[in-house]
Amino acid sequence: MSGADPSYWCPFAWLPPGEVHAGVLVEVEGTRITSVRTGVSDPPAAAVRLPGLTLPGLANAHSHAFHRALRGRTQSVPSGSAGAGSFWTWRDRMYDLAARLDPDLYYELAVAVYAEMVLAGITCVGEFHYVHHGPGGRPYDDPNAMADVLIAAARDAGLRITLLDTCYLAGGIGAPLTGVQERFGDGDAARWAARVDSLRDRYAGAEDVVVGAAVHSVRAVPADQLPTVAGWANTHAVPLHVHLSEQRSENADCVAAYGVQPTELLFEHGVLGPRTTAVHTTHLDDGGVGLIAGSDTTVCLCPTTERDLADGVGPAGALRRAGAELVLGSDSHAVVDMFEEARALELDERLVTGRRGHWPAGALLATVTEVAHRSLGFSDAGLIEPGARADLVSVRLDSVRTAGAEPAQAVDMVVFAATAADVDTVVSGGVRVVEGGRHRRYDDLASRLDAMVRALW
C-alpha cells in the first residue's frame, strides 16, 4: 500500500453535526485531516475522487477474531447433543477451536479477519482477547505472544486496534478453570495486571494501538478480583470492557452467589464508569439499566451475534431513554457488516415494540463511528473534521441495493439498505487500504480466509 494521498474529493460526505454536504474536499497530512471544504465543484487534479457517500471510518467495538472460523460450522446441533442448540452448545464448539490456536495460526487467521473488516469499512477494532497462553495454561516464552500477533495482524490489515486484554480466572462462579479454559487464566488479577503492564509498556506511544483491559464476566472473575482490574484501567486511563448479563443463567448464578445482579456487583466493585463499556446487557433488569446510565457506562450491543446465538434482544430502547450511549460490535463475526449491526439496533426494537422510528439513521451511524471510537480510546476519530484521524469510507450509491437514493436520503439508504459489499474505498490513517472494493494488500482474501479456516479444522 502506498503512502497517504494529499486530498480526497467526495461528491457527498456525512459531516458534523450529522449532515450530508456536496462537493467535499478533504485534505490530509500524514494520519490527520487538515481541512474540510464543502461546495467544491472543481477539485484539484491530484485529489483522489471517492464515489458515492463518504463516511468517517467505522469502529467495531467488540471482536473475538478467532470466532470467525466458526462461521457456518455451528448452525446444526452436534451429533449426540441433548436438546436444541444454545449458547452453551455453541460455546463447546468455540472452545474446541480455541484449543487449536497457536501464535502463528492466530496471526494468519487474524490478519485475514481484520482485512475482511477493512473491506467492510472498519478502520478500528476492539479486540476482546483472552487466549493468552499455551496448552494447559503454560505461558509462551513471551507471555504476550498472542496479543502481539493480534496487534501485528491489525497493522498489516490496515486498521487500528484496541487490545482489550481480558482477565479470565474462573470456569464459572466458584469453579476452577478446566480444559482449554486454562489457556485463558493468569492465576489471579495481580498476575494478570503484571503481564498487561509489560504489554502496555511495549506499545507505549504507538499511535495505532491502545492496550486496554477487560473483565470477561462475573462468571469468570471472582468479586474480590474485580477491583484490581478496574484499578489498573483507571490508573492508566484506558478503556475497560466487560461481558454483562449475556445469559439469564449468569444473572441467576450471580444472585445465588453474591445476592445481587451482575450489574450491581460490577458497580459495587468499581467496574462501571465513563471509560467502561458493558457488552451485550441482553438480560438487564430495570435497576441494571439505571446503574448503567447513572454511571455513564457505555453499552455495546452485538445484534448479529445475539440473534445467531438465540441470546435475545437487549433493552436498547430503555438504555437510550435512560441516557446511556450505545455502540456496536460484530463479536463472533457471524456477519462482518457494521451497517447490518446498525440497522438491527432499530429493526430489533421495532419487533419488540411494534413501532418504527426509534433512532434516526444519523444516530445509528454515530454508534459505529464517533461514539464507538470513543469507547475504544480513540476520541480523535470517527468524524470528518480538521484534526481528526484521516479515516474515510466511501459507500456506493449506484449498486442494486442503493440505486435510487437522492442526496437527502443517502444516509437512510446506506444505513437501511447498503451492505459491506457496497464499500468502495477505505482510507485508514490517511492511506488507501481498499480501492474499488478490493484490499490493496490482500487481493485474494477469500482464498486466504478459506485456507486458514480449513487449517484450523
Side-chain angles (χ1 to χ4, degrees):
M1 292 181 284
S2 61
D5 296 296
S7 59
Y8 299 87
W9 183 80
C10 319
F12 302 102
W14 187 64
L15 306 179
E19 299 172 348
V20 173
H21 291 262
V24 177
L25 183 66
V26 180
E27 296 182 312
V28 172
E29 184 175 330
T31 62
R32 302 283 171 167
I33 295 170
T34 56
S35 75
V36 179
R37 289 191 285 151
T38 61
V40 178
S41 58
D42 186 21
V48 175
R49 286 156 170 78
L50 303 179
L53 175 67
T54 297
L55 307 171
L58 310 180
N60 183 354
H62 190 69
S63 162
H64 302 289
F66 76 94
H67 289 189
R68 170 61 179 84
L70 294 166
R71 189 185 295 176
R73 293 172 181 266
T74 63
Q75 298 303 325
S76 300
V77 180
S79 177
S81 294
S86 67
F87 169 85
W88 306 104
T89 57
W90 172 89
R91 192 181 74 160
D92 289 341
R93 190 73 163 149
M94 182 268 286
Y95 281 172
D96 189 24
L97 174 61
R100 302 165 191 257
L101 296 172
D102 62 35
D104 291 338
L105 283 171
Y106 206 2
Y107 168 81
E108 293 296 338
L109 176 63
V111 77
V113 175
Y114 292 153
E116 181 182 1
M117 291 186 196
V118 174
L119 283 179
I122 295 165
T123 56
C124 184
V125 63
E127 183 61 36
F128 200 102
H129 166 56
Y130 55 81
V131 187
H132 301 304
H133 305 301
R138 182 174 181 177
Y140 291 102
D141 291 340
D142 178 348
N144 288 306
M146 295 292 259
D148 276 343
V149 299
L150 288 167
I151 291 168
R155 285 173 158 173
D156 289 346
L159 45 62
R160 291 186 303 280
I161 185 169
T162 297
L163 196 290
L164 297 159
D165 196 290
T166 304
C167 187
Y168 196 132
L169 304 174
I173 297 176
L177 297 174
T178 58
V180 71
Q181 292 175 333
E182 293 175 335
R183 301 191 67 176
F184 311 158
D186 288 291
D188 59 33
R191 278 176 279 185
W192 166 86
R195 180 179 56 75
V196 185
D197 274 334
S198 175
L199 181 66
R200 182 177 178 276
D201 290 346
R202 186 173 304 177
Y203 294 98
E207 190 180 22
D208 58 340
V209 177
V210 169
V211 175
V215 169
H216 181 273
S217 60
V218 299
R219 290 184 293 106
V221 180
D224 64 351
Q225 303 292 298
L226 293 172
T228 300
V229 184
W232 188 91
N234 287 332
T235 296
H236 298 294
V238 296
L240 172 62
H241 288 216
V242 54
H243 290 139
L244 174 60
S245 291
E246 184 177 5
Q247 300 293 320
R248 291 184 178 89
S249 60
E250 174 187 329
N251 293 356
D253 291 347
C254 187
V255 170
Y258 300 114
V260 294
Q261 291 284 332
T263 315
E264 295 173 81
L265 189 73
L266 296 176
F267 180 77
E268 290 171 359
H269 289 82
V271 175
L272 303 185
R275 278 192 292 271
T276 301
T277 297
V279 183
H280 300 304
T281 70
T282 310
H283 301 291
L284 282 187
D285 62 4
D286 291 343
V289 169
L291 283 174
I292 291 287
S295 61
D296 292 327
T297 297
T298 299
V299 170
C300 177
L301 292 99
C302 305
T304 63
T305 289
E306 288 150 7
R307 72 191 185 199
D308 182 65
L309 298 180
D311 286 347
V313 177
L319 286 162
R320 184 176 188 238
R321 289 188 296 274
E325 288 197 310
L326 304 179
V327 298
L328 296 164
S330 64
D331 193 3
S332 70
H333 316 308
V335 175
V336 175
D337 188 333
M338 299 314 293
F339 303 127
E340 176 64 21
E341 304 292 348
R343 63 175 158 262
L345 189 61
E346 165 70 22
L347 298 180
D348 285 354
E349 193 70 8
R350 292 180 185 183
L351 289 174
V352 169
T353 65
R355 293 183 291 105
R356 307 176 81 221
H358 301 274
W359 286 269
L364 294 172
L365 271 185
T367 66
V368 295
T369 54
E370 177 187 7
V371 184
H373 280 98
R374 192 162 60 241
S375 80
L376 296 176
F378 289 101
S379 59
D380 55 354
L383 293 169
I384 301 176
E385 64 179 14
R389 305 268 181 161
D391 301 337
L392 305 171
V393 175
S394 67
V395 184
R396 300 202 70 93
L397 297 177
D398 58 358
S399 76
V400 294
R401 290 165 293 277
T402 60
E406 297 291 339
Q409 289 85 44
V411 173
D412 283 344
M413 182 68 85
V414 167
V415 170
F416 288 104
T419 72
D422 295 313
V423 171
D424 180 272
T425 306
V426 178
V427 178
S428 180
V431 177
R432 271 181 292 162
V433 288
V434 172
E435 190 172 20
R438 303 186 73 85
H439 200 289
R440 298 179 77 189
R441 176 172 289 169
Y442 304 108
D443 185 58
D444 193 8
L445 185 56
S447 294
R448 189 183 186 100
L449 276 164
D450 183 74
M452 281 315 306
V453 172
R454 292 180 186 280
L456 281 163
W457 292 112

